[in-house]
Amino acid sequence: MPVLLLGVSGGIAVYKAVELTSLLRKRGWEVRVVMTENATRFVTPLTFQTMSRHRVHLDQFALGQDWQVEHIDLVKGVDLAAVVPASANGLAKLAHGIADDLLSTTLLALRCPLLVAPAMNTAMWEHPATRANRETLLARGVQVIAPQGAGELACGDVGAGKLATVEDIAEALEAALRRGESLAGRRVLVTAGGTREPIDPVRYVGNRSSGKMGHAIAQAAQERGAEVTLVTTARLGAPAGVEVVSVATASELLSAVEQRFEAADVLVMAAAVADYRPIEAAPSKIKKTSDRLVIELVPTVDVLTRLAPRKRADQLVVGFAAETDDVLGYAAGKLARKGLDLIVANDVSRADIGFESDANAVSVLDASGVVLEVERAPKAVVAGRILDVVADRLNRP
Ligand code: CTP
């Protein structure tokens, strides 16, 4: 039986969360309800208790049945969490990690995917602060079930902000549950960031890759139930449970990936690996002694070209192609030349996406051509879409 932790925050749409609880229970979910104090002003906890057939959780400092710490105990065994309705205040607290009641504290202790279904007045929904909070949450991998586009709101205003329909929310939860298991039992090896090839002890040849895309891929793979190893040059942190292997140079990255390739079901090479490195790193800092300095570069080993030919039939190898022109043409060429199953192409000449940005827009290609186009979106969203294609391929009979 899937377990949902359902957070209910204040707003007139609380009654729809009652309906949702009832619908989900009928569809076989166990629903654990946590209400904010404001939510209890709209609907009594007894209503949720009756619908969910479980005790409703309200007070951070209530004495539980035993000695357990309630917000920590509540998240154990939970498959999915959702906040329905999510108020503007609820989104803001979540975006900033504020934990001042049972619901917000519990949400910080979560280890499972989280969906939020906002409901509020149009002006509040469109306020720059709410927008920024929404972006923050999306970037963190939280799924936002968008409110209905236009409609009459409780306050009489007409516009966006009305809670998504109960049926749509239930569907989104069921899809998220399926997605959360789509890479269960799979080992995913991801590389991220730009390599740094030393010139001397203080300088290096590098590139503009931030590692954000690769880290988002690792997180999305973990959210889909995979066992994830992230070989990275970036110091961005990774979700709990992801094994992180820190590397700096192309050669360190190669050996880290080579050691782990056989055990992996999927290799996603999001790292921007240097194609050339200084022939040797000077042992001490190079001094400014002449007008010209020539650094001789030699090619590095191409990780994909080395490993893809060793691929078993049940393994999948995914490359990235960051291009400034003829994006699809070059990407298709790399896919064929490197023997990849999929390649993710992105246009790094665009200022609004790619390097250092929190957003990206990509095309995913296989040998037959483009299989997925993702419009500009937070990297967490783009990563999720890419991994849905990967999971789909792996799970094909
Ligand atoms: N790659 C790799 N090993 C390298 C360089 C790149 O495995 N030494 C991988 C990257 O991680 C990426 C893919 O190859 O997944 C494409 O990288 P890119 O640098 O765009 O390809 P190149 O073959 O180096 O082509 P270009 O001439 O455009 O640099």
Side-chain angles (χ1 to χ4, degrees), residues 18-312:
V18 175
E19 228 179 283
L20 179 70
T21 305
S22 160
L23 179 70
L24 291 174
R25 198 186 50 75
K26 285 183 197 141
R27 292 196 188 169
W29 291 73
E30 178 188 322
V31 185
R32 294 184 194 166
V33 178
V34 182
M35 296 176 79
T36 64
E37 199 186 333
N38 284 342
T40 65
R41 294 174 186 246
F42 290 89
V43 170
T44 66
L46 183 62
T47 311
F48 278 101
Q49 190 146 304
T50 310
M51 286 304 178
S52 68
R53 301 194 179 162
H54 282 284
R55 186 165 77 87
V56 169
H57 307 268
L58 303 163
D59 179 2
Q60 194 173 1
F61 298 104
L63 290 176
Q65 314 243 22
D66 42 39
W67 57 270
Q68 308 274 17
V69 181
E70 192 165 27
H71 61 276
I72 301 298
D73 204 38
L74 258 173
V75 300
K76 286 185 187 148
V78 166
D79 297 294
L80 209 61
V83 183
V84 183
S87 61
N89 184 46
L91 293 181
K93 290 205 306 190
L94 188 57
H96 297 279
I98 292 170
D100 62 354
D101 60 7
L102 181 63
L103 177 57
S104 52
T105 311
T106 305
L107 293 177
L108 281 193
L110 277 182
R111 288 275 172 92
C112 68
L114 170 65
L115 293 86
V116 294
M120 65 196 74
N121 166 275
T122 310
M124 293 169 81
W125 174 244
E126 287 171 356
H127 193 283
T130 308
R131 274 182 205 217
N133 291 333
R134 191 163 74 219
E135 289 292 315
T136 302
L137 295 174
L138 284 170
R140 218 179 271 158
V142 174
Q143 191 183 329
V144 178
I145 307 171
Q148 298 178 38
E152 192 184 343
L153 305 171
C155 52
D157 283 5
V158 175
K162 200 182 172 81
L163 185 74
T165 66
V166 168
E167 191 54 47
D168 285 352
I169 297 171
E171 240 165 64
L173 292 173
E174 275 160 2
L177 185 70
R178 282 195 299 278
R179 211 181 307 118
E181 292 163 353
S182 64
L183 289 173
R186 306 286 190 176
R187 284 167 193 251
V188 177
L189 180 57
V190 186
T191 66
T195 63
R196 295 175 167 196
E197 312 301 324
I199 297 171
D200 68 14
V202 290
R203 304 172 179 104
Y204 58 84
V205 178
N207 61 68
R208 290 181 55 202
S209 169
S210 64
K212 287 180 183 169
M213 194 61 228
H215 280 241
I217 298 263
Q219 176 169 347
Q222 199 212 26
E223 283 168 4
R224 283 158 178 73
E227 213 176 287
V228 186
T229 302
L230 174 62
V231 176
T232 181
T233 66
R235 307 214 177 273
L236 293 173
V242 167
E243 183 200 5
V244 177
V245 181
S246 286
V247 294
T249 65
S251 122
E252 287 170 13
L253 186 139
L254 170 70
S255 66
V257 174
E258 211 166 19
Q259 276 171 35
R260 294 166 177 84
F261 180 62
E262 212 191 310
D265 294 292
V266 191
L267 167 63
V268 183
M269 280 288 297
V273 186
D275 290 328
Y276 296 91
R277 63 171 175 83
I279 189 162
E280 60 182 357
S284 50
K285 190 179 172 203
I286 299 173
K287 295 314 246 180
K288 190 165 50 180
T289 48
S290 56
D291 290 342
R292 286 181 64 181
L293 172 67
V294 176
I295 297 168
E296 196 179 345
L297 303 177
V298 290
T300 58
V301 174
D302 192 290
V303 183
L304 284 175
T305 307
R306 174 172 292 187
L307 294 181
R310 300 187 199 161
K311 181 165 72 83
R312 295 187 308 269

